Amino acid sequence: MQSFFTKLLQADPDRYIYSAVSHGCKYDLPTEISKGIKTVSARTNWNTQAPEQFGLPTETWREVVARRQRYEEIKEKISSTTININDLITLNLNIIQFVLDAIEQGELEFVQSLYNAIRSITILDPTCGSGAFLLAALNILEDIYEACLNRLAELDAKNPAIQEASSHANWKYFIYKSIILNNLYGVDIMEEAVEICKLRLFLKLISQVESDDNSPNLGIEPLPDIDFNIHAGNTLIGYTKLEDIEKSLLGTLNFYGSELKEIHKKAGDIDVIYDTFRKRQSAESGENSNDEPIQTIKERINSEMKLLNDKLDRFLAISYNISETEYKDKKKYEKDFVAWKLTHLPFHWVIEYYRIMKNGGFDVIVGNPPSVEYKDVKEQYEVKGYDTLDCGDLYAYSIERSSFLTKHSIGMIVPISIFGTDGFKTLKDLMLKMYAGTWISFYSNRPSQIFDGAQKD
């Protein structure tokens, strides 16, 4: 298999090198520029802007020469050595194009394995907002899903994956629905943003359907219910795993031990019901008159989840000095508890995403966590138990929380202060300890910044 990938890369290295890297490299450099490569004293015009034919916008000749050298180094490495998966990333190659080409030329076993893998991959944006990163993930996965299905149809027209896809309005609809239901997950503290995120995903799905006046419901399938994929809640406050609950109740386990076992069992029971709910939406299980209505299934899940969440909220409130056993006035306890819950909006990953967390966490976490100083929200809610508290910024806490939510990788866009100031040493140490293979790219305000409108410091 490694030989197949290597041959694919070496057959046409330029196909996998981004045009931003190879731009202008097919042209010979002007003599007055090329002579300065080996003779430093001849670099008289190197700081002037290069013409469009040779340079990217705002590039000087010095930058053009450096980029061309990088291009030649990458091309030489691809052509002369065996490239592994890590090299695809560190060399900044066009991985999507490579994967699509590999699928197009792959054998049945490889394509089937890849298709099965992407059907189950879990991608989380823990501060998803209106869903920009989830939509980007949707677009990337859509290309891979479609390429797999096209290749499977060529190799085995009776493949179960082809039959499943063909049972829907069209392949595009099936692909988007599968990704939205099985691959994408998000949480945000703003309920409005969460609703917008869901709406954007639905609009993407609906856009794939052409109405048919001769078909029931105009040929439009019911939209999937993704309330269990995209949630409103505070990413930073709540239990991620059962061990977190035990840790927070240290010293009181004799009192709460039986309840913890019941939580574990109940969460597992709910997960079984949820699996039925998900399969019914994915049309993976048959429908008949004896089937429990899907809305009834959802109501059962919500009812059980509400009870579990309430119990965990009360456990967590103990660490905020709101413990029922310490209150003589039960009405006062309920008032304080409800007030705390409304401001802190706890989100318990251990039950909301029970199966995912039980299996080690999400495969991939992406996003752009809020760069908000903790002091600006401290009066609203208090963050506890983080090693990075001294960093004083929510994006540091978001990265630390994400490290306990994933079993594979995290890719986030964060402010340059993470490595540009001394105040984030704790976060840097945590990252280096947990992720020895961390790669960081810096994008300052020179020559431009990633996000328009961001404040320039």
Side-chain angles (χ1 to χ4, degrees):
M1 187 61 71
Q2 181 65 50
S3 176
F4 166 66
F5 292 142
T6 300
K7 289 179 180 178
L8 185 61
L9 280 168
Q10 293 179 346
D12 186 4
D14 279 314
R15 183 171 176 80
Y16 308 109
I17 300 176
Y18 285 106
S19 58
V21 178
S22 62
H23 177 77
C25 292
K26 64 181 180 180
Y27 302 111
D28 293 332
L29 290 171
T31 303
E32 65 271 20
I33 300 300
S34 62
K35 66 183 181 181
I37 294 177
K38 294 184 177 180
T39 307
V40 176
S41 60
R43 299 177 182 179
T44 55
N45 296 319
W46 274 37
N47 290 327
T48 61
Q49 185 169 334
E52 182 179 348
Q53 178 184 1
F54 294 95
L56 299 170
T58 76
E59 259 191 339
T60 64
W61 279 114
R62 185 179 300 278
E63 292 167 330
V64 167
V65 171
R67 177 171 54 77
R68 288 167 70 102
Q69 290 174 341
R70 177 61 177 165
Y71 163 74
E72 294 296 340
E73 290 170 2
I74 294 173
K75 190 172 182 179
E76 171 60 24
K77 183 164 186 176
I78 295 174
S79 302
S80 61
T81 61
T82 299
I83 302 297
N84 60 42
I85 187 64
N86 292 328
D87 292 325
L88 292 175
I89 298 170
T90 55
L91 294 177
N92 193 28
L93 300 180
N94 190 335
I95 300 175
I96 298 301
Q97 186 61 61
F98 175 72
V99 171
L100 296 179
D101 289 349
I103 293 170
E104 186 178 353
Q105 300 179 37
E107 297 298 330
L108 178 60
E109 182 179 0
F110 163 70
V111 179
Q112 185 69 67
S113 296
L114 179 59
Y115 182 71
N116 293 341
I118 64 169
R119 289 294 302 274
S120 62
I121 190 172
T122 53
I123 301 172
L124 167 73
D125 185 343
T127 54
C128 66
S130 58
F133 283 79
L134 294 180
L135 282 165
L138 174 68
N139 291 333
I140 291 172
L141 287 174
E142 188 273 328
D143 287 340
I144 300 175
Y145 264 78
E146 186 170 31
C148 284
L149 288 173
N150 286 333
R151 183 59 174 162
L152 287 173
E154 292 177 3
L155 298 172
D156 179 13
K158 296 183 179 180
N159 190 286
I162 303 303
Q163 295 178 357
E164 181 186 15
S166 299
S167 68
H168 292 261
N170 57 62
W171 279 15
K172 283 282 189 180
Y173 183 90
F174 165 75
I175 290 170
Y176 280 125
K177 183 178 180 180
S178 297
I179 295 171
I180 291 170
L181 275 176
N182 302 321
N183 301 126
L184 304 182
Y185 301 86
V187 177
D188 199 89
I189 197 169
M190 295 181 61
E191 289 189 25
E192 304 90 338
V194 167
E195 293 306 313
I196 292 172
C197 177
K198 294 177 186 176
L199 178 60
R200 294 177 72 184
L201 291 172
F202 286 147
L203 290 175
K204 190 77 172 179
L205 182 60
I206 293 172
S207 68
Q208 308 307 315
V209 180
E210 294 183 6
S211 61
D212 181 358
D213 293 337
N214 297 318
S215 299
N217 197 37
L218 300 178
I220 301 174
E221 295 184 30
L223 289 173
D225 188 319
I226 57 173
D227 286 350
F228 299 124
N229 291 57
I230 315 296
H231 288 277
N234 193 332
T235 287
L236 303 177
I237 296 176
Y239 297 118
T240 58
K241 301 175 182 177
L242 288 169
E243 305 90 86
D244 297 337
I245 308 174
E246 296 177 4
K247 189 184 299 183
S248 73
L249 297 176
L250 193 62
T252 60
L253 283 179
N254 289 336
F255 186 79
Y256 293 107
S258 61
E259 292 188 77
L260 284 176
K261 292 180 181 179
E262 181 62 24
I263 288 172
H264 193 2
K265 180 180 181 302
K266 183 63 68 174
D269 292 342
I270 294 173
D271 182 66
V272 172
I273 303 173
Y274 169 70
D275 192 51
T276 300
F277 177 81
R278 182 188 63 80
K279 287 180 178 179
R280 288 277 294 278
Q281 291 199 89
S282 302
E284 294 174 6
S285 62
E287 298 268 352
N288 59 63
S289 58
N290 296 321
D291 283 334
E292 182 180 9
I294 195 166
Q295 185 59 35
T296 304
I297 298 176
K298 181 180 180 180
E299 290 171 359
R300 280 206 293 142
I301 295 173
N302 281 331
S303 176
E304 296 291 344
M305 288 291 288
K306 184 177 180 180
L307 294 174
L308 265 186
N309 269 310
D310 183 71
K311 189 176 291 292
L312 292 185
D313 288 344
R314 293 178 189 275
F315 282 166
L316 185 61
I318 294 173
S319 62
Y320 288 83
N321 299 317
I322 303 175
S323 173
E324 185 175 9
T325 59
E326 301 298 323
Y327 278 75
K328 294 181 179 179
D329 185 342
K330 299 306 179 184
K331 289 184 178 180
K332 179 67 166 59
Y333 164 73
E334 285 296 332
K335 181 180 179 181
D336 288 352
F337 170 71
V338 171
W340 170 84
K341 185 174 179 179
L342 288 175
T343 55
H344 287 68
L345 299 173
F347 182 81
H348 304 297
W349 303 84
V350 64
I351 59 171
E352 299 290 356
Y353 298 122
Y354 177 79
R355 179 170 301 191
I356 293 174
M357 296 310 301
K358 183 181 178 182
N359 291 331
F362 293 85
D363 294 304
V364 179
I365 293 182
V366 296
N368 173 217
S371 176
V372 176
E373 291 190 42
Y374 177 39
K375 64 181 179 62
D376 294 334
V377 301
K378 195 170 184 179
E379 291 187 3
Q380 178 181 348
Y381 60 84
E382 184 181 1
V383 178
K384 289 189 172 187
Y386 284 77
D387 292 336
T388 56
L389 277 176
D390 62 342
C391 296
D393 200 296
L394 297 190
Y395 85 77
Y397 311 157
S398 296
I399 293 176
E400 183 176 348
R401 172 49 59 100
S402 295
S403 68
F404 295 103
L405 296 175
T406 183
K407 58 183 175 181
H408 288 310
S409 61
I410 298 174
M412 288 187 169
I413 296 177
V414 296
I416 202 168
S417 59
I418 187 173
F419 279 89
T421 63
D422 295 332
F424 290 84
K425 183 179 185 304
T426 307
L427 178 58
K428 287 184 285 188
D429 292 343
L430 176 71
M431 290 174 59
L432 293 174
K433 177 182 178 181
M434 300 191 70
Y435 303 103
T438 299
W439 283 85
I440 300 105
S441 295
F442 295 95
Y443 303 90
S444 66
N445 291 329
R446 298 177 296 275
S448 63
Q449 56 199 47
I450 291 182
F451 299 120
D452 292 335
Q455 180 179 354
K456 294 186 178 182
D457 298 323

